[in-house]
Amino acid sequence: MEQNKTGKYLKYAISEIVLVVIGILIALAINNWNTSRINNNLEKFYIEGVINDIETDLVNLSTNISVDSQKVISGNYLLNHFKNPTQKNDSIILFHFSRLLPGTYYIQNSIVFEDIKFSGRLNTISNSSLRNNIQRYYSHGLQITDVLKENSRYAREFFGSHVYSEEFDINSILNEFGSSYAKSERMVEVNSFDSQLFYKSSNDPIIKELINRISINILLAQLNVTRLNIGKDYANELTHELKNYLK
């Protein structure tokens, strides 16, 4: 009798333990499923954010490529002019000069990537190859930023400093350019615009130096375009990879 009761209690206890274990396993499975779902949603959220940021980068890259391509066109226009300095519309020459002056700068839109990195959630992107490609893309973007910044500094010092010198009457040049292209009111002109500088012989020392500086500016713009196009290729490839991953 006692043995039967003990056996029943033992079976009951074992059953209870089994049920508890099963309950724990079910709870763990639900928890793991919920955690996985949250991680998947977070991963999707981050990847979509990175895609949006890269698409902004593509717009900026294309804009800078256009700016530097125009510098090359304008620089070559001026070189051709000095090669054969026949009379032209002064405003057109000034227009091409003006396109050589602005620096080219690029700052990546890395808001989402910085959030992922500094929150310690890089591993949220579960695919290691994709994760590495994202990191490489932003690392390459920083290189583009540094190269363009340095090239712009050099162009500003090498070309800009020459333009803003005594050979060029900037007041009259800007006055002529502003009224012709900016469609603005004429500023106070201290001296009237003298375009004779643009028609000197290419053997003139001032023009020789100017030609050399324009040539350097063209080369820097060409280097920028090459670098920016590589960045654009990186951006397009990564965007394609990210979108395929979300499918």
Side-chain angles (χ1 to χ4, degrees):
M1 193 83 170
E2 283 293 325
Q3 287 181 345
N4 288 338
K5 285 184 179 181
T6 301
K8 287 180 181 179
Y9 287 141
L10 187 58
K11 288 178 182 178
Y12 177 77
I14 292 172
S15 298
E16 287 293 312
I17 292 171
V18 169
L19 289 173
V20 170
V21 170
I22 291 172
I24 292 171
L25 291 174
I26 292 172
L28 287 173
I30 293 172
N31 184 62
N32 288 338
W33 173 83
N34 192 48
T35 300
S36 177
R37 181 179 60 82
I38 292 171
N39 287 339
N40 287 338
N41 288 340
L42 188 58
E43 180 185 45
K44 183 182 179 183
F45 171 78
Y46 278 140
I47 289 177
E48 287 175 344
V50 170
I51 290 172
N52 289 334
D53 283 354
I54 294 175
E55 287 176 345
T56 301
D57 290 340
L58 281 167
V59 173
N60 293 334
L61 288 164
S62 295
T63 299
N64 282 323
I65 288 170
S66 176
V67 168
D68 273 313
S69 297
Q70 289 169 3
K71 284 183 185 179
V72 174
I73 292 170
S74 288
N76 281 321
Y77 176 91
L78 292 170
L79 292 182
N80 279 321
H81 167 74
F82 287 121
K83 185 177 180 179
N84 183 28
T86 56
Q87 190 69 35
K88 296 180 177 67
N89 186 316
D90 294 338
S91 294
I92 294 176
I93 296 176
L94 290 172
F95 169 71
H96 287 292
F97 260 104
S98 72
R99 293 212 297 191
L100 294 178
L101 290 173
T104 307
Y105 300 96
Y106 172 68
I107 299 177
Q108 244 178 352
N109 188 6
S110 57
I111 296 173
V112 175
F113 177 70
E114 294 297 322
D115 179 42
I116 298 171
K117 186 170 67 173
F118 289 112
S119 64
R121 292 174 176 170
L122 273 174
N123 287 331
T124 300
I125 300 172
S126 55
N127 186 296
S128 60
S129 175
L130 189 63
R131 188 167 61 243
N132 290 336
N133 287 342
I134 291 172
Q135 292 181 87
R136 271 195 293 269
Y137 169 76
Y138 283 101
S139 176
H140 184 257
L142 290 175
Q143 293 175 28
I144 295 176
T145 297
D146 291 341
V147 169
L148 264 61
K149 182 179 179 181
E150 186 63 20
N151 285 351
S152 292
R153 182 192 65 78
Y154 188 67
R156 184 174 63 252
E157 292 177 0
F158 195 76
F159 179 72
S161 62
H162 183 72
V163 172
Y164 293 107
S165 64
E166 61 184 16
E167 289 89 7
F168 293 83
D169 188 341
I170 293 299
N171 169 254
S172 60
I173 288 175
L174 292 179
N175 183 42
E176 181 71 21
F177 176 77
S179 61
S180 300
Y181 286 93
K183 307 301 181 186
S184 61
E185 294 182 14
R186 298 183 74 92
M187 68 175 70
V188 175
E189 188 174 53
V190 179
N191 297 305
S192 60
F193 177 67
D194 181 6
S195 63
Q196 289 307 303
L197 174 68
F198 298 141
Y199 301 100
K200 289 184 177 182
S201 166
S202 58
N203 292 319
D204 185 287
I206 292 175
I207 299 303
K208 273 187 174 181
E209 185 173 1
L210 181 58
I211 288 170
N212 288 336
R213 290 171 185 265
I214 291 173
S215 300
I216 289 291
N217 209 318
I218 291 173
L219 176 62
L220 292 173
Q222 289 172 328
L223 292 172
N224 285 349
V225 169
T226 299
R227 175 71 71 166
L228 289 163
N229 272 318
I230 293 172
K232 192 174 177 180
D233 289 341
Y234 268 47
N236 280 321
E237 289 170 8
L238 183 56
T239 301
H240 180 71
E241 186 180 3
L242 290 169
K243 287 181 178 179
N244 281 340
Y245 182 75
L246 291 179
K247 287 181 180 178

